[in-house]
Amino acid sequence: MSPEHGGTRASVNPLAPPGVYAPQEDTELLAGALSDEPVPPGADVLDVGTGSGALALEAARRGMRVTAVDVSWRAVCATRLNALVAGVPVRVRRGNLFDPVRDRSFDLILANPPYVPAPGDGRPPRGAARAWDAGADGRLVLDRICREAPALLRPGGVLLLVQSALSGPELTLGHLREAGLKAAVTRRRHIAFGPVLRARERWLRERGLLPPTGDKEELVVVRAELPV
Ligand SMILES: C[S@@+](CC[C@H](N)C(=O)[O-])C[C@H]1O[C@@H](n2cnc3c(N)ncnc32)[C@H](O)[C@@H]1O
């Protein structure tokens, strides 16, 4: 999560200008899961919600053919610049989730979406908070990914997704299994609350999303594979 939201910055570290999500512990956790994945060079990879392009660049360095999508123009520009500086090819598109790639299919989909439960009036988040705020239950984007990603996977294709334990990983697993995928939590990490969680700690505890005490949040990686 962001320093705004979570803890320390991650070791994956491309340029993230103001308003673009700088790689954090969730990025790093997902990058670790990516490094475990035996994806061959030339495989088609989608990084949805690419931010600074950190994950897209990791995949491109391994010779995968990467498409990166973000709803934010700043993120799109940052990813293009970071790919140029790194000297790796990444196709970058601006758009809402899977809209720019509806006609395509992938061997691997990477997603570090917004997943923090947020108080509000139900309207979609704006500005930098679009990177982490995800509605009252944190599932505004997660549920769409669960609904829409399976149709974009090739047989044997894999979705790797990182989220908080606050936003219902069991729901993610359930939805993906209903869609016919083999899904499991493959990585977990506890991180200290950052400023965003601290600022809404009371609200989260009142709603039962956080236990009465404690100052750690659990991140999980969900891996879901479409059977051949
Ligand atoms: C938590 S950040 C992750 C950034 C990067 N993938 C990483 O791991 O460091 C989430 C990203 O998703 C983007 N995003 C949020 N809603 C989106 C949507 N509906 N469609 C595409 N991108 C979206 C945000 O702009 C932000 O860049």
Side-chain angles (χ1 to χ4, degrees):
M1 309 218 163
S2 62
E4 300 92 330
H5 158 215
T8 53
R9 286 180 185 263
S11 59
V12 257
N13 223 354
L15 180 75
V20 176
Y21 189 88
Q24 306 298 322
E25 283 147 310
D26 50 4
T27 317
E28 197 171 76
L29 197 62
L30 195 53
L34 169 62
S35 71
D36 282 351
E37 207 54 51
V39 188
D44 281 306
V45 177
L46 173 67
D47 178 24
V48 65
T50 195
S52 65
L55 296 161
L57 265 60
E58 290 284 317
R61 284 192 192 100
R62 279 177 53 190
M64 301 173 203
R65 294 196 307 186
V66 184
T67 302
V69 172
D70 205 288
V71 74
S72 149
W73 271 118
R74 284 182 194 223
V76 166
C77 294
T79 299
R80 287 188 176 140
L81 183 65
N82 284 323
L84 200 68
V85 170
V88 290
V90 177
R91 185 197 292 212
V92 193
R93 298 284 180 266
R94 195 199 83 89
N96 192 346
L97 219 57
F98 301 113
D99 284 353
V101 293
R102 290 272 174 222
D103 55 340
R104 299 193 48 207
S105 63
F106 297 92
D107 302 297
L108 178 65
I109 298 177
L110 301 167
N112 177 7
Y115 51 71
V116 182
D121 53 13
R123 276 186 289 187
R126 298 175 64 86
R130 233 174 3 179
W132 54 84
D133 279 357
D137 59 0
R139 299 200 54 87
L140 201 64
V141 181
L142 282 165
D143 283 339
R144 287 181 58 201
I145 293 176
C146 292
R147 267 197 312 273
E148 298 175 29
L152 274 74
L153 285 175
R154 294 177 183 154
V158 170
L159 166 68
L160 286 177
L161 173 157
V162 63
Q163 68 168 99
S164 170
L166 295 179
S167 46
E170 65 290 347
L171 294 173
T172 302
L173 292 171
H175 293 322
L176 292 169
R177 287 173 185 154
E178 276 166 27
L181 277 63
K182 283 193 321 194
V185 170
T186 54
R187 283 183 176 235
R188 297 176 185 274
R189 184 184 292 178
H190 285 89
I191 64 167
F193 289 173
V196 171
L197 281 201
R198 279 202 300 275
R200 62 186 66 153
E201 191 175 336
R202 192 166 156 196
W203 179 81
L204 289 164
R205 293 196 200 282
E206 281 169 1
R207 296 192 74 234
L209 290 170
L210 278 175
T213 57
D215 58 1
K216 291 268 197 295
E217 175 191 16
E218 185 182 27
L219 300 180
V220 303
V221 171
V222 170
R223 180 185 187 279
E225 181 171 344
L226 184 66
V228 179

